[in-house]
PDB file of all heavy atoms in Angstrom:
ATOM      1  N   ASP A 148     -17.353  24.299-172.037  1.00 87.00           N
ATOM      2  CA  ASP A 148     -15.967  24.147-172.473  1.00 87.00           C
ATOM      3  C   ASP A 148     -15.394  22.808-172.006  1.00 87.00           C
ATOM      4  O   ASP A 148     -14.694  22.120-172.760  1.00 87.00           O
ATOM      5  CB  ASP A 148     -15.121  25.302-171.930  1.00 87.00           C
ATOM      6  CG  ASP A 148     -13.657  25.184-172.313  1.00 87.00           C
ATOM      7  OD1 ASP A 148     -13.351  25.187-173.514  1.00 87.00           O
ATOM      8  OD2 ASP A 148     -12.828  25.055-171.395  1.00 87.00           O
ATOM      9  N   PHE A 178     -13.437  16.574-164.282  1.00 79.00           N
ATOM     10  CA  PHE A 178     -12.107  16.976-163.872  1.00 79.00           C
ATOM     11  C   PHE A 178     -12.149  18.412-163.356  1.00 79.00           C
ATOM     12  O   PHE A 178     -12.565  19.331-164.063  1.00 79.00           O
ATOM     13  CB  PHE A 178     -11.124  16.861-165.041  1.00 79.00           C
ATOM     14  CG  PHE A 178     -10.903  15.445-165.491  1.00 79.00           C
ATOM     15  CD1 PHE A 178     -11.800  14.833-166.352  1.00 79.00           C
ATOM     16  CD2 PHE A 178      -9.823  14.721-165.026  1.00 79.00           C
ATOM     17  CE1 PHE A 178     -11.608  13.532-166.760  1.00 79.00           C
ATOM     18  CE2 PHE A 178      -9.631  13.410-165.423  1.00 79.00           C
ATOM     19  CZ  PHE A 178     -10.518  12.811-166.295  1.00 79.00           C
ATOM     20  N   PRO A 188       4.187  27.671-151.219  1.00 93.00           N
ATOM     21  CA  PRO A 188       5.653  27.661-151.117  1.00 93.00           C
ATOM     22  C   PRO A 188       6.193  26.722-150.031  1.00 93.00           C
ATOM     23  O   PRO A 188       6.931  27.133-149.131  1.00 93.00           O
ATOM     24  CB  PRO A 188       5.970  29.122-150.800  1.00 93.00           C
ATOM     25  CG  PRO A 188       4.792  29.590-150.005  1.00 93.00           C
ATOM     26  CD  PRO A 188       3.597  28.885-150.605  1.00 93.00           C
ATOM     27  N   SER A 214      -9.230  19.776-153.735  1.00 73.00           N
ATOM     28  CA  SER A 214     -10.463  20.213-153.082  1.00 73.00           C
ATOM     29  C   SER A 214     -10.470  21.735-153.080  1.00 73.00           C
ATOM     30  O   SER A 214      -9.417  22.370-153.098  1.00 73.00           O
ATOM     31  CB  SER A 214     -10.572  19.680-151.647  1.00 73.00           C
ATOM     32  OG  SER A 214      -9.537  20.206-150.840  1.00 73.00           O
ATOM     33  N   THR A 221      -1.408  20.255-154.724  1.00 91.00           N
ATOM     34  CA  THR A 221      -1.793  19.241-153.745  1.00 91.00           C
ATOM     35  C   THR A 221      -0.702  18.188-153.704  1.00 91.00           C
ATOM     36  O   THR A 221       0.060  18.012-154.662  1.00 91.00           O
ATOM     37  CB  THR A 221      -3.137  18.570-154.104  1.00 91.00           C
ATOM     38  OG1 THR A 221      -3.020  17.929-155.375  1.00 91.00           O
ATOM     39  CG2 THR A 221      -4.267  19.584-154.151  1.00 91.00           C
ATOM     40  N   ARG A 389       6.077  -2.636-139.915  1.00 97.00           N
ATOM     41  CA  ARG A 389       6.576  -1.431-140.575  1.00 97.00           C
ATOM     42  C   ARG A 389       6.354  -0.260-139.628  1.00 97.00           C
ATOM     43  O   ARG A 389       5.281  -0.126-139.035  1.00 97.00           O
ATOM     44  CB  ARG A 389       5.856  -1.175-141.889  1.00 97.00           C
ATOM     45  CG  ARG A 389       6.151  -2.170-142.995  1.00 97.00           C
ATOM     46  CD  ARG A 389       5.940  -1.518-144.341  1.00 97.00           C
ATOM     47  NE  ARG A 389       6.017  -2.449-145.439  1.00 97.00           N
ATOM     48  CZ  ARG A 389       6.339  -2.091-146.685  1.00 97.00           C
ATOM     49  NH1 ARG A 389       6.618  -0.827-146.952  1.00 97.00           N
ATOM     50  NH2 ARG A 389       6.380  -2.986-147.660  1.00 97.00           N
TER      51      ARG A 389
END
Side-chain angles (χ1 to χ4, degrees):
D148 178 61
F178 294 82
S214 64
T221 61
R389 291 206 188 205

